[in-house]
Amino acid sequence: MTAEGSGVRGRIAIVSASVGAGHDGAARELAERLEAEGYEVQRHDFLDLLPGWLGRALPRAYEKQLSAVPWTWDWLLGFLQLFPLAARAVTGMFAFAARRSWGVLPADVQCVVSTYPLASHALGRLKRKGRLDAPIVTYLTDMSVHRLWVAKDAEVHLALHPVAAEQAERLNARNVTIVAPAVGPVFRPARNEAERVAARRKFGLPEIGRYALVVAGSWGAGEVEEAAREIALSGGVMPVVVCGRNEALRQRVERAKVGIAFGWIDDMPTLMRACDVVVQNAGGLSSLEAFATDLPVLSYRCLPGHGRTNAKALDRAGLAPWIHTQGQLEVALARLTRDHQDSTAELFSAQDPSTVISDLAKHTESGRSGSAPGTRSRAAAWTARRQWVGRNRAAS
């Protein structure tokens, strides 16, 4: 049944990856917004499109690498950034391995969105093979953009800030468009002091005091315990450590008595409203959620690789200072500055990414509408798409 026959506005597919939580978080929010606009949205996990052993091994290997030998991740990303041919070999290997991807996309899909770099390259391979004529949109989830993110067959790359857009364009990304972060509306500032106090009560935090929310992704990776200890030593601020699914980390923080430790949190918006500052080490989704909650963010003891490149980009954008020493940390926590407000307000004033995706899908469908029933006019679709890209690029 066609999208028109089913009564929906159209069909959009989103390909993410359950590697950590940031890629899936962005995909989930984009899907909810597009569904609210009337689209039928299919979400797919890139890991499911790989051979079973590879799909299971990839996140495990990545987690082990970050926890046991993080310097190797830093080296690998640096090597691939420096040598384009090596990056092309890696992305090509995974694109070939994800050959199942062509079978999961609906025949009348109007746009395919990727929130994971390797997925963008797999989709691009489908396009080159003639198995996909819908446009590919890459949503860049991080503030820094690595070479692996840029897929030559993606018609549009959505960047979260001019800093990210500049990096993407230097890597020859096509049609870079600046959009607001895809963060759910549940992440918002406390409406009043009573709501803030209620949030603290929910998590058993004393009503009086200042709290630094220490986040390290769903895996609790990195020098989290050390960061909590140094925050506690700074005086005046109590660390509240979210350990994610890392139960060993939670137990270590509790034994060390360097702060209040939580495992996996289902209500992060409320916990953020209970705190005064966020200290992060990866620069991913948690940082964007903190900005939406109007919390100042500090980058400290950052993960090698993407953690440090994101910290550098956030610092350059004026969104979150990158703290390098315990002395700098003490000064930053003592100030708990709200200077971030102007920069974060500008961050969320950009156009909605779902609007860009919806508009592109609409123009794709208009290009197909002139074809005979049951067929596709690829040339017409591409003509409409090029016209849309030109107008959108001029507007941005």
Side-chain angles (χ1 to χ4, degrees):
M1 181 180 291
T2 65
E4 182 179 357
S6 65
V8 299
R9 186 176 180 184
R11 290 195 173 93
I12 294 174
I14 301 178
V15 185
S16 179
S18 52
V19 180
H23 304 288
D24 279 345
R28 182 171 54 252
E29 178 60 24
L30 288 172
E32 290 180 0
R33 296 185 187 186
L34 290 166
E35 287 171 347
E37 293 185 30
Y39 286 94
E40 178 184 294
V41 180
Q42 292 186 359
R43 286 178 53 196
H44 303 282
D45 189 333
F46 178 75
L47 302 184
D48 293 337
L49 306 179
L50 298 172
W53 66 270
L54 183 57
R56 292 188 298 270
L58 182 62
R60 292 175 186 171
Y62 179 45
E63 183 178 7
K64 289 291 185 184
Q65 186 177 26
L66 287 181
S67 60
V69 282
W71 65 268
T72 62
W73 178 240
D74 191 48
W75 177 88
L76 178 60
L77 286 186
F79 178 79
L80 296 177
Q81 185 79 326
L82 191 60
F83 296 100
L85 287 178
R88 198 175 305 162
V90 170
T91 57
M93 177 186 68
F94 279 98
F96 177 77
R99 54 191 178 274
R100 292 174 54 197
S101 55
W102 72 271
V104 303
L105 299 176
D108 57 351
V109 65
Q110 293 166 232
C111 186
V112 186
V113 182
S114 167
T115 64
Y116 184 62
L118 297 179
S120 297
H121 294 278
L123 293 167
R125 185 173 185 272
L126 292 184
K127 179 155 288 190
R128 293 192 300 274
K129 293 287 184 179
R131 292 173 174 168
L132 176 67
D133 70 348
I136 301 169
V137 175
T138 294
Y139 175 89
L140 303 166
T141 59
D142 288 354
M143 192 61 63
S144 66
V145 181
H146 190 273
R147 184 178 301 281
L148 293 177
W149 267 113
V150 178
K152 65 178 182 179
D153 297 291
E155 280 86 349
V156 179
H157 290 76
L158 303 182
L160 304 179
H161 190 274
V163 168
E166 178 186 335
Q167 292 182 9
E169 288 175 340
R170 281 206 305 266
L171 294 169
N172 299 317
R174 297 170 59 192
N175 302 309
V176 179
T177 303
I178 298 172
V179 295
V183 175
V186 290
F187 288 94
R188 56 165 180 77
R191 295 187 178 94
N192 48 50
E193 186 62 23
E195 186 179 25
R196 178 183 168 90
V197 169
R200 292 188 170 189
R201 287 175 180 168
K202 176 175 181 176
F203 289 97
L205 304 177
E207 297 177 14
I208 306 295
R210 296 191 300 171
Y211 298 96
L213 184 62
V214 183
V215 294
S218 61
W219 292 338
E223 300 171 342
V224 184
E225 184 181 351
E226 294 85 349
R229 180 178 292 109
E230 289 165 356
I231 291 170
L233 289 174
S234 69
V237 182
M238 171 67 73
V240 176
V241 187
V242 178
C243 303
R245 296 186 173 92
N246 192 335
E247 178 61 18
L249 172 62
R250 188 190 66 79
Q251 293 178 4
R252 290 199 306 270
V253 173
E254 285 190 343
R255 284 196 301 268
K257 298 181 179 179
V258 295
I260 301 168
F262 293 104
W264 181 261
I265 295 293
D266 290 321
D267 189 6
M268 187 61 81
T270 300
L271 183 56
M272 283 193 173
R273 285 191 282 273
C275 296
D276 300 277
V277 62
V278 169
V279 179
Q280 64 84 32
N281 69 355
L285 182 60
S286 293
S287 298
L288 302 174
E289 292 169 345
F291 296 145
T293 313
D294 199 25
L295 285 177
V297 175
L298 306 177
S299 302
Y300 187 60
R301 284 189 174 268
C302 295
L303 292 170
H306 67 285
R308 291 174 183 169
T309 59
N310 280 338
K312 183 177 180 180
L314 287 166
D315 194 14
R316 184 184 167 202
L319 294 167
W322 187 4
I323 307 301
H324 297 275
T325 68
Q326 186 174 355
Q328 293 176 349
L329 178 67
E330 292 177 0
V331 172
L333 291 173
R335 290 175 179 170
L336 281 182
T337 178
R338 290 284 176 163
D339 292 343
H340 72 292
Q341 288 182 342
D342 290 341
S343 55
T344 55
E346 182 179 352
L347 183 69
F348 288 95
S349 67
Q351 59 184 324
D352 190 322
S354 66
T355 301
V356 178
I357 296 166
S358 173
D359 195 31
L360 182 53
K362 180 180 65 176
H363 281 79
T364 299
E365 187 61 23
S366 68
R368 293 174 177 170
S369 62
S371 59
T375 67
R376 296 185 180 186
S377 173
R378 182 172 299 170
W382 274 96
T383 298
R385 199 174 308 154
R386 285 195 297 268
Q387 292 173 347
W388 175 89
V389 166
R391 287 194 297 270
N392 193 70
R393 190 172 182 82
S396 62

